[in-house]
Amino acid sequence: MAEGGDGVAQQAELRRIEGNACFKKARLGAAIDCYTEAIALCPDVAVYWMNRALCHFRRKEWAKVEEDSRRALALDDTLVKGHYLLGSALLDKEEFALAIKEFEKALNLLKSANSTDKMAEDIWQVLAKAKYLDWEKHSTERVWRIQSLKEACESALQEHHFLSGTLVEDSDGSSNEYSEQIKMLSEVFSKATLADTPVDVPDYLCCQITFEIFRDPVITPSGVTYERAVLLEHLDKVGNFDPVTREPLKEHQLVPNLAIKEAVQAYLKEHSWAYRLN
């Protein structure tokens, strides 16, 4: 029985290898067939489900991506790609909050493994998109509710002053109690919508090269803070010097700017619209 089991596992692995070859050649249909055969032989191997989900991802067949990535994660919840693909499928369904959770799980797994996987950038991009879309959806709802409440309050205030005979403006054109209360009401509701009103992100929270909000800020010996990935690219392709001060600079001299990172996280928590990508 053991030999028979080993034989089945070997056949499944051969189908996976063949599927990988087809995938590299963009023969997605053939790759799906190979992974499907591998799954039929060994349904408890997470990577087979994961590979087939990736094929569906390339085809944008989101329902199938969700189904296969869920099956893969049920077998192995530490699959970074599994959470990324599931999040992408949920994002397509506009289930933003659930998508955000999956993308954050993927990033946390990479972080806990101290991985420098290039996939981290892709995950951050879709996470930012999901958070912005989630803010946009709820912001629209909040603005509508606030506007409805404002109109109801104005109507109630007008009715109150009409019944009390204080609705007419003073003859000298000066403000009366009714107009003052309407003005105060408008100010209150204007402040209530400030958090949902996009403005320019403060300069100190943005990289001096990209002018985008920081994700992984590092500070140089010259005291200038940059986005790590962007600065590393500068050092590699342009030269070993600080882009602003022109002082000599090597990678080992970079220090994480934890204060700015915490400030960015606090700002994004209060202003989710800032996740909007440039």
Side-chain angles (χ1 to χ4, degrees), residues 11-23 27-42 48-49 51-52 55:
Q11 289 180 50
E13 188 60 15
L14 288 173
R15 307 316 298 160
R16 182 189 69 83
I17 294 171
E18 185 179 345
N20 289 352
C22 292
F23 183 84
R27 296 173 54 205
L28 299 179
I32 289 172
D33 290 341
C34 291
Y35 296 138
T36 300
E37 291 179 32
I39 290 170
L41 291 166
C42 294
Y48 300 160
W49 295 97
N51 287 359
R52 194 170 73 174
C55 291

Side-chain angles (χ1 to χ4, degrees), residues 208 214 218-226 231 242-245 254 257:
Q208 295 201 34
F214 283 117
V218 291
I219 190 168
T220 69
S222 302
V224 184
T225 299
Y226 302 95
L231 183 55
D242 189 306
V244 172
T245 67
L254 306 180
N257 193 328

Side-chain angles (χ1 to χ4, degrees), residues 169-175:
E169 288 190 1
D170 292 340
S171 57
D172 60 359
S174 61
S175 298

Side-chain angles (χ1 to χ4, degrees), residues 172-188:
D172 60 359
S174 61
S175 298
N176 58 15
E177 183 181 10
Y178 170 69
S179 60
E180 286 294 330
Q181 289 179 342
I182 285 291
K183 181 180 178 181
M184 290 175 63
L185 194 64
S186 180
E187 291 175 354
V188 168

Side-chain angles (χ1 to χ4, degrees), residues 20 27 88 189 215 257 273:
N20 289 352
R27 296 173 54 205
S88 297
F189 281 100
R215 300 201 295 274
N257 193 328
W273 49 260

Side-chain angles (χ1 to χ4, degrees), residues 103-221:
F103 293 140
E104 288 179 338
K105 285 179 184 177
L107 286 178
N108 288 335
L109 285 169
L110 287 176
K111 184 178 180 180
S112 62
N114 292 319
S115 175
T116 56
D117 196 313
K118 293 180 180 179
M119 192 177 181
E121 176 63 21
D122 293 335
I123 298 172
W124 196 94
Q125 294 282 347
V126 289
L127 172 60
K129 178 181 179 181
K131 288 200 171 187
Y132 177 76
L133 291 173
D134 187 56
W135 165 80
E136 188 175 50
K137 174 185 176 182
H138 290 96
S139 174
T140 301
E141 295 173 354
R142 281 192 298 271
V143 169
W144 181 84
R145 289 199 300 268
I146 289 173
Q147 182 60 30
S148 298
L149 181 59
K150 179 174 180 287
E151 291 173 358
C153 289
E154 288 176 341
S155 179
L157 192 60
Q158 185 180 48
E159 182 178 359
H160 167 74
H161 282 278
F162 175 77
L163 294 175
S164 61
T166 57
L167 187 61
V168 181
E169 288 190 1
D170 292 340
S171 57
D172 60 359
S174 61
S175 298
N176 58 15
E177 183 181 10
Y178 170 69
S179 60
E180 286 294 330
Q181 289 179 342
I182 285 291
K183 181 180 178 181
M184 290 175 63
L185 194 64
S186 180
E187 291 175 354
V188 168
F189 281 100
S190 293
K191 290 180 180 179
T193 60
L194 282 179
D196 282 314
T197 304
V199 296
D200 290 336
V201 177
D203 290 342
Y204 75 95
L205 298 180
C206 298
C207 175
Q208 295 201 34
I209 298 177
T210 65
F211 302 106
E212 294 180 2
I213 195 164
F214 283 117
R215 300 201 295 274
D216 186 11
V218 291
I219 190 168
T220 69

